[in-house]
Amino acid sequence: MPPAVKFLRLTRFALLSAAMTSAFRAQAGPVAFFDINSFLGSAQVINFNSIGQNIQITNQFSGQGVTFSGASLFGSTNSGDLAMFSNSGGVIATTWTGSPANSPWVATFTVPQQQVGFYVEMNSGDSVALTTNFDSTPTGTVSYLSIGTTAVFFGVQDLGAFNSISVTVTGSDNHFFAMDDFRYVAIPGPGVTALLAASQCLAALVPLRRRFRRY
């Protein structure tokens, strides 16, 4: 094998390895976002419309890759709260059952995710903290301080992957929490992102290989 071709192949493997490493370390820890249009790709969406009033939400959505646990979430058709969600289909999820709410609640996914978000309503002055976890190990926390009672969109992105989130409400009020339009995006298939990055590096080597072939 000519030295030039051998060098080209070694360089190609080195670039591929570097690209794969870079892809999986593209982001360190979670980042909050407040725009529903910031989702990458196609999101799985849960609107809770199949849940009845005061029915506890646990594994009803396991077929869609997520279960809920920890502090109890319940279906609610309370008209006063529904009015705060402009796109609600008639049912929201809440931790409120007539007494100060408990927290945190947990959503566990069957496959690693890169984004999750939801419309959230809380009392003004209360704060929600969303922690991403991988195999029960926290990877970071983002938070949102409510300045009004109208629902706003709140989400988190972590390209390093997480397979559960825990959500805690704190503050001087009664820790009321309600949400709707819960959505999440899974990490792409193994190596997809890395291979796309590597292909760009390898494309740059094509002219070099052609130059070697001239001699």
Side-chain angles (χ1 to χ4, degrees):
M1 179 185 300
V5 175
K6 184 176 182 180
F7 168 78
L8 179 64
R9 290 186 176 180
L10 290 174
T11 303
R12 182 168 56 188
F13 284 127
L15 285 172
L16 178 60
S17 177
M20 293 180 69
T21 300
S22 176
F24 288 109
R25 295 180 179 176
Q27 176 181 308
V31 175
F33 63 91
F34 299 89
D35 183 359
I36 194 171
N37 296 315
S38 295
F39 271 91
L40 304 172
S42 179
Q44 179 76 262
V45 181
I46 293 176
N47 56 27
F48 303 108
N49 291 341
S50 61
I51 304 296
Q53 171 72 7
N54 291 333
I55 299 300
Q56 186 174 356
I57 303 169
T58 54
N59 61 0
Q60 292 95 328
F61 303 102
S62 59
Q64 293 171 252
V66 62
T67 57
F68 297 91
S69 59
S72 297
L73 286 166
F74 296 88
S76 175
T77 58
N78 182 283
S79 59
D81 293 315
L82 287 174
M84 303 297 174
F85 293 84
S86 60
N87 297 317
S88 175
V91 182
I92 57 176
T94 180
T95 57
W96 184 260
T97 57
S99 60
N102 296 315
S103 60
W105 59 266
V106 177
T108 302
F109 304 94
T110 56
V111 298
Q113 305 292 311
Q114 64 182 1
Q115 287 180 312
V116 65
F118 43 80
Y119 283 99
V120 57
E121 178 204 356
M122 301 183 301
N123 290 312
S124 180
D126 279 352
S127 178
V128 60
L130 191 164
T131 299
T132 54
N133 311 283
F134 195 87
D135 290 347
S136 299
T137 299
T139 58
T141 300
V142 297
S143 61
Y144 160 68
L145 174 65
S146 177
I147 58 175
T149 54
T150 300
V152 300
F153 192 81
F154 174 52
V156 64
Q157 173 177 297
D158 188 347
L159 300 183
F162 55 92
N163 52 21
S164 73
I165 61 169
S166 55
V167 177
T168 305
V169 180
T170 58
S172 59
D173 217 315
N174 57 22
H175 303 172
F176 174 84
F177 174 91
M179 72 169 172
D180 200 13
D181 199 17
F182 184 86
R183 57 183 59 209
Y184 44 101
V185 177
I187 289 288
V192 171
T193 304
L195 288 175
L196 287 175
S199 66
Q200 296 176 351
C201 295
L202 296 179
L205 292 177
V206 172
L208 178 62
R209 184 172 184 177
R210 287 175 178 170
R211 273 201 310 273
F212 284 144
R213 285 180 173 175
R214 291 174 185 169
Y215 299 99

